[in-house]
Amino acid sequence: WKHLFQSARSQLDLQNRIMKDASRPTRDKDRAKRLHGQAYRQLELLLNDSSKGQSDFYSYRYFASEGFLPGYNFPRLPISAYIPGRRSRNGHDEYISRPRFLAISEFGPRAILYHEGAKFEVDRVIFMVEGEKIAVGAAKVCSSCGYFHELADEAGPDLCEVCGSELGSPYERLLRLQNVSTRRRERISADEEERVRYGYDLASAYRFEIRDGRPSYSSATILHGQRELGYLTYGQAARIWRLNLGWKRRRDQGQLGFVLDIDQGKWQRNDSITEDKDDPLSNNTQRVLPYVEDNKNCILFKPSAALDFATMLSLQTALKNAIQFTFQIEDSELAADTLPTGENPCQILFYESSEGGAGVLSRFFGDRTAFKSVMMKALEICHFDPETGEDLRHSPHADEDCGKACYDCLLSYGNQRYHQHLDRFIVRDLLIQLRDSILIPKRPVNPRRDHLELLVHLAGSELERQWLKFIYDNDLRLPTHAQKLIPECNTRPDFLYEDKYTAVYIDGPVHEYPERQKRDKEQQACLENMGYTVLRIGCMDDWDDIIVKFPSVFGYTTSHRKG
């Protein structure tokens, strides 16, 4: 926190000098003015200045996220919807608040809210600072496992960091959902009501936190005799994203997002975007994808054999209910979703949706008896005898027999749209096998070697892989990250020593072109203003000399000297 504060202050001082220097060209002054505004907003964020809006930064909340304090004491701010007061009744303005993962659907673009007998429509995004511009980003989500890859201006990685599958087209113009404003609607057409009833097309994605240069997660194999039934992966404080891709009943399923007036923050109709590039007003509207994100404890359950859509949904519901009953938590404290989104999911994502987490997923993963208890409870919920698997036909307090599913087992108000897919019989045999299985934790044999393989997998060129081999063979300190985005400077260094605040670029022949050199200098200046040490290493440089010049970064000692 102190480092970020000093970095923002130094940026302000530097940019003030540039704007006052009469000899500077206009483009440098304009760029300095733009960066000055960004640094000023960063200072407001660090100082928690809420005079112009609700700030989500809180020093205690930061310590809680790092594990120094209990997280439930310092919850993140919810998303609020402004409800204008009714003049005829001398009413006062009000705010309705919802947790982030619920607000992405309830406070989505042009959503209908019912409040005190009146109807309101979400029509705009509230800016945190007057005159603020809409900030959008881009990301690639793996279509095989749902892993999230944040992008800068570059194309980004081509392969998934987890499963190695080829990544498809990125999600562009991602907009972090903020507080929203509504307007009163006296009349709502039947078409609007029908669209809202079907709801939004929501997608989930996840990304493990990086600690000590490696993704922070633990894995275990579900072993039934000599056969592998599946895999469990537990992530502590993983990053979970929820993206709103558009209305479920949109005409063009390939067209994602919503149209937003980026100057006023107003949501527009999907057919109102201007496509004329010669029109100066055409840039005032953009198609964006709203999203929310948060850190949650999560577990990924991936069956070894491919399961159809109905089986995955039924298994997801049965396991979610069983975890809730076994650990005695509320339905709102645990959430589940299939990944990737679509008709062919391959794994189930469970995450603790309550603020601070309930700690049940770590017990489910780490306690040997808890896994079996959950599977037996899942059989009992589905009206099967937990010991024999015999069909009990209905719950103890019910009189009528249960067919495929009922509200005592798999059906609920929240999964109404999937009722036709839920069937307790198609998961009985699998639940019995899981009940009789054991968890075998996967332990890394060589953490340094595993970390090297991850860095090599993320490397973007053969020269970068040669540099990693040089570092590894000489028993030097490996980078903590590879291709990590630094959004403040819109750059992605080849390697990053995060604990040493050092960015390393391995420059090949392409960096000899004047245009590339100009961009490299701008990015390097930005990083240095933030306090980074920037090392540019070429193929013709003496790598041994570079190591000797920066011993604290690479861990060089006298024992590394050449014989």
Side-chain angles (χ1 to χ4, degrees):
W1 180 90
K2 181 179 179 181
H3 180 81
L4 291 174
F5 183 83
Q6 293 174 346
S7 174
R9 289 299 299 268
S10 64
Q11 287 185 53
L12 286 175
D13 294 340
L14 175 63
Q15 289 145 15
N16 278 328
R17 291 196 298 271
I18 293 176
M19 288 188 288
K20 293 178 180 179
D21 189 354
S23 62
R24 291 275 185 172
T26 305
R27 64 176 181 274
D28 289 349
K29 293 182 179 180
D30 292 341
R31 182 173 181 271
K33 185 177 180 180
R34 185 168 61 254
L35 294 176
H36 183 277
Q38 295 176 1
Y40 183 77
R41 287 194 293 272
Q42 184 180 2
L43 275 178
E44 284 187 335
L45 179 70
L46 294 174
L47 294 173
N48 201 26
D49 182 5
S50 58
S51 59
K52 295 182 180 179
Q54 291 179 308
S55 171
D56 192 45
F57 180 85
Y58 191 37
S59 54
Y60 288 137
R61 187 181 299 122
Y62 167 76
F63 290 131
S65 67
E66 294 297 321
F68 293 103
L69 296 172
Y72 54 81
N73 283 339
F74 312 101
R76 287 183 176 270
L77 293 178
I79 293 178
S80 300
Y82 166 72
I83 305 294
R86 300 179 64 178
R87 295 181 181 178
S88 60
R89 300 184 180 180
N90 296 322
H92 299 285
D93 297 341
E94 297 182 69
Y95 286 90
I96 302 176
S97 298
R98 293 289 185 272
R100 297 182 180 193
F101 283 20
L102 183 59
I104 189 64
S105 57
E106 289 201 10
F107 296 163
R110 307 183 72 83
I112 304 300
L113 304 180
Y114 299 89
H115 182 68
E116 294 186 351
K119 295 180 182 179
F120 298 87
E121 181 186 48
V122 176
D123 69 332
R124 73 168 64 210
V125 176
I126 299 177
F127 293 107
M128 300 294 290
V129 180
E130 185 177 356
E132 178 186 4
K133 292 294 183 181
I134 292 291
V136 294
K140 289 183 178 180
V141 178
C142 179
S143 58
S144 298
C145 66
Y147 202 69
F148 192 90
H149 306 77
E150 194 170 4
L151 307 179
D153 282 345
E154 297 91 357
D158 295 325
L159 300 178
C160 176
E161 297 177 11
V162 171
C163 66
S165 301
E166 185 174 353
L167 298 175
S169 301
Y171 289 133
E172 297 180 342
R173 294 186 290 275
L174 294 175
L175 171 68
R176 186 173 181 270
L177 186 63
Q178 305 179 36
N179 295 338
V180 299
S181 177
T182 66
R183 65 186 179 100
R184 183 177 170 82
R185 291 292 304 272
E186 297 293 343
R187 298 180 179 85
I188 298 177
S189 67
D191 291 338
E192 289 174 315
E193 290 280 12
E194 184 72 5
R195 184 182 67 241
V196 172
R197 186 174 72 86
Y198 276 86
Y200 297 106
D201 184 8
L202 301 177
S204 297
Y206 72 100
R207 184 176 183 85
F208 297 119
E209 287 293 294
I210 303 296
R211 292 187 175 90
D212 298 327
R214 302 178 66 249
S216 177
Y217 66 89
S218 302
S219 300
T221 302
I222 305 173
L223 200 62
H224 181 254
Q226 300 298 321
R227 177 182 167 217
E228 293 183 357
L229 289 184
Y231 311 93
L232 283 184
T233 304
Y234 172 72
Q236 178 78 21
R239 202 72 173 171
I240 308 295
W241 279 264
R242 290 282 284 169
L243 296 86
N244 191 337
L245 305 181
W247 294 106
K248 273 190 171 293
R249 295 197 64 181
R250 58 186 181 274
R251 295 177 182 176
D252 185 1
Q253 292 294 319
Q255 189 178 65
L256 304 179
F258 303 86
V259 179
L260 177 69
D261 186 326
I262 60 175
D263 291 333
Q264 301 181 17
K266 285 188 175 182
W267 295 111
Q268 307 293 325
R269 295 189 177 277
N270 281 348
D271 55 357
S272 63
I273 191 168
T274 307
E275 301 291 349
D276 186 4
K277 296 181 179 180
D278 297 329
D279 184 358
L281 299 179
S282 62
N283 293 328
N284 290 340
T285 56
Q286 286 188 6
R287 188 174 296 277
V288 299
L289 272 70
Y291 75 94
V292 291
E293 59 177 336
D294 205 350
N295 288 94
K296 305 287 186 181
N297 297 337
C298 73
I299 274 186
L300 291 157
F301 171 73
K302 183 176 183 180
S304 297
L307 303 179
D308 57 49
F309 184 68
T311 304
M312 288 291 283
L313 280 180
S314 302
L315 182 63
Q316 168 192 317
T317 306
L319 293 181
K320 178 180 181 297
N321 294 342
I323 294 174
Q324 292 170 186
F325 277 101
T326 302
F327 297 103
Q328 299 181 1
I329 60 175
E330 299 292 334
D331 181 72
S332 59
E333 295 183 83
L334 183 69
D337 202 357
T338 52
L339 297 178
T341 303
E343 296 298 323
N344 298 301
C346 67
Q347 58 184 347
I348 304 172
L349 170 68
F350 300 95
Y351 59 91
E352 298 174 1
S353 52
S354 59
E355 191 66 45
V360 298
L361 293 183
S362 61
R363 293 172 56 193
F364 174 59
F365 181 83
D367 189 348
R368 295 183 178 180
T369 60
F371 181 81
K372 182 175 182 178
S373 299
V374 169
M375 299 307 159
M376 294 184 69
K377 177 59 69 174
L379 285 167
E380 182 181 344
I381 289 173
C382 293
H383 312 318
F384 299 115
D385 188 290
E387 298 293 341
T388 64
E390 180 185 356
D391 185 11
L392 301 178
R393 305 177 68 87
H394 55 75
S395 60
H397 65 272
D399 296 329
E400 298 181 358
D401 291 347
C402 172
K404 294 174 58 177
C406 68
Y407 279 92
D408 288 325
C409 56
L410 302 181
L411 304 186
S412 70
Y413 173 78
N415 61 16
Q416 284 189 32
R417 67 181 61 173
Y418 302 118
H419 280 188
Q420 70 273 21
H421 299 289
L422 299 177
D423 187 347
R424 62 190 181 95
F425 291 102
I426 60 178
V427 295
R428 175 174 58 178
D429 294 340
L430 179 56
L431 289 176
I432 292 175
Q433 293 175 356
L434 290 172
R435 179 200 63 187
D436 299 332
S437 301
I438 58 174
L439 290 180
I440 306 297
K442 294 182 179 179
R443 303 187 183 276
V445 179
N446 188 343
R448 177 175 166 84
R449 182 69 184 181
D450 293 343
H451 184 46
L452 173 67
E453 292 178 358
L454 174 63
L455 295 174
V456 170
H457 178 70
L458 298 176
S461 67
E462 184 59 33
L463 185 61
E464 295 175 19
R465 288 185 278 272
Q466 292 177 8
W467 165 262
L468 289 173
K469 186 176 185 302
F470 169 79
I471 294 293
Y472 184 81
D473 291 344
N474 287 277
D475 199 26
L476 298 168
R477 183 182 294 128
L478 289 169
T480 56
H481 300 81
Q483 305 294 333
K484 182 178 181 180
L485 173 67
I486 302 178
E488 294 83 0
C489 297
N490 201 18
T491 183
R492 192 185 294 271
D494 296 327
F495 302 109
L496 187 67
Y497 289 86
E498 191 170 47
D499 53 341
K500 300 298 181 181
Y501 231 60
T502 301
V504 178
Y505 291 88
I506 310 298
D507 293 344
V510 68
H511 290 269
E512 298 178 1
Y513 293 99
E515 309 85 34
R516 190 61 180 264
Q517 289 180 352
K518 179 181 177 182
R519 191 182 71 174
D520 291 344
K521 290 179 180 179
E522 292 177 354
Q523 293 175 343
Q524 181 170 342
C526 179
L527 288 172
E528 290 174 346
N529 289 337
M530 292 183 62
Y532 282 94
T533 299
V534 180
L535 302 181
R536 290 201 168 272
I537 302 173
C539 56
M540 304 302 295
D541 295 336
D542 190 332
W543 291 355
D544 290 304
D545 290 343
I546 296 173
I547 296 299
V548 174
K549 289 180 181 178
F550 300 93
S552 63
V553 175
F554 301 104
Y556 175 81
T557 63
T558 55
S559 62
H560 293 95
R561 290 178 180 175
K562 297 179 180 179

